Amino acid sequence: MDLYFAAASPFVRKVMVVLHETGQLADVNVIDSVQTPLAPNPANKNPLGKIPSLTRPEGPALYDSRVICRYLADRAGADLIPPARQWEVQTLEATGDGIMDAGVLMVYEHRFRPAELQYGAYVDGQWAKIARALDALEERWISHLSGPLDLGQISVGCALGYLDFRHHDRGWRDGRDALARWFERFGARPSMQETRPV
């Protein structure tokens, strides 16, 4: 299988963590596929021009980290979306993915829009979404986050790692002590250490 990859992408990191946690890293050929919204990589098999995408021998390429992670979990027989908790796990995963989305859009606003066209209120609006999601994690999800490993935890862990990587000056830990403590523990997992962006 070929995984189209960029080390800085939190969505790619999510897939890489699943590969590590399910023991499938050796089954994947990682292809560096740095691209932007303005310059997609033509080799990428995702017609939307986004990463990650995963080619596989038994069918068309898979894309969107949620789809790829489910495929890899199923392939490995890993119970990363336990049926008894599936709606909670998927909601938590959507929360983590939403934080990643907003964080990436903040970066894109500064990186790809000319300075005279950048819209500060848009960036602040994206951070407001992130802040609300972080507050929800602190107030509602710590017990779940502290339970057995699932895709929701992986998504949130990668989202918080991305905030440290790209938005560390925003101080996401302020007033969220329980979430910060959880991330300190979760971030120490070998799968998280091995996939840290540099």
Side-chain angles (χ1 to χ4, degrees):
M1 297 184 291
D2 291 332
L3 177 68
Y4 289 85
F5 167 98
S9 165
F11 297 101
V12 169
R13 186 182 189 190
K14 185 177 151 188
V15 171
M16 294 299 294
V17 169
V18 170
L19 286 168
H20 278 273
E21 293 285 352
T22 60
Q24 299 180 84
L25 195 60
D27 298 339
V28 172
N29 178 38
V30 174
I31 299 173
D32 197 13
S33 183
V34 175
Q35 53 194 33
T36 74
L38 305 179
N41 184 336
N44 184 350
K45 304 304 181 186
N46 180 351
L48 299 172
K50 294 183 175 185
I51 51 173
S53 67
L54 180 75
T55 64
R56 58 201 174 116
E58 72 272 22
L62 301 177
Y63 43 89
D64 187 277
S65 64
R66 289 187 212 188
V67 175
I68 296 171
C69 288
R70 279 158 180 72
Y71 169 78
L72 293 172
D74 184 70
R75 184 176 185 266
D79 195 18
L80 293 180
I81 306 180
R85 296 184 297 131
Q86 64 175 315
W87 307 119
E88 289 78 12
V89 171
Q90 292 184 72
T91 299
L92 188 59
E93 183 184 18
T95 304
D97 285 5
I99 291 170
M100 293 185 228
D101 274 329
V104 168
L105 289 173
M106 290 171 68
V107 171
Y108 283 176
E109 181 71 11
H110 292 297
R111 185 169 293 168
F112 300 114
R113 194 181 297 276
E116 67 276 11
L117 297 178
Q118 291 176 14
Y119 188 33
Y122 176 79
V123 173
D124 291 343
Q126 297 303 319
W127 183 256
K129 293 178 189 178
I130 292 170
R132 288 193 301 270
L134 293 171
D135 289 343
L137 292 171
E138 175 78 12
E139 295 162 10
R140 161 70 179 84
W141 289 100
I142 296 301
S143 176
H144 182 115
L145 286 169
S146 301
L149 182 69
D150 60 40
L151 279 178
Q153 295 171 7
I154 292 170
S155 177
V156 170
C158 292
L160 298 179
Y162 189 72
L163 296 183
D164 279 347
F165 179 57
R166 292 294 194 204
H167 304 292
H168 56 89
D169 57 324
R170 296 270 182 167
W172 70 261
R173 290 172 177 79
D174 295 345
R176 303 180 184 101
D177 295 343
L179 186 59
R181 287 192 299 271
W182 173 81
F183 183 60
E184 184 176 357
R185 294 190 303 272
F186 191 82
R189 295 180 76 92
S191 63
M192 291 291 287
Q193 291 293 311
E194 291 293 324
T195 58
R196 288 180 67 183
V198 293

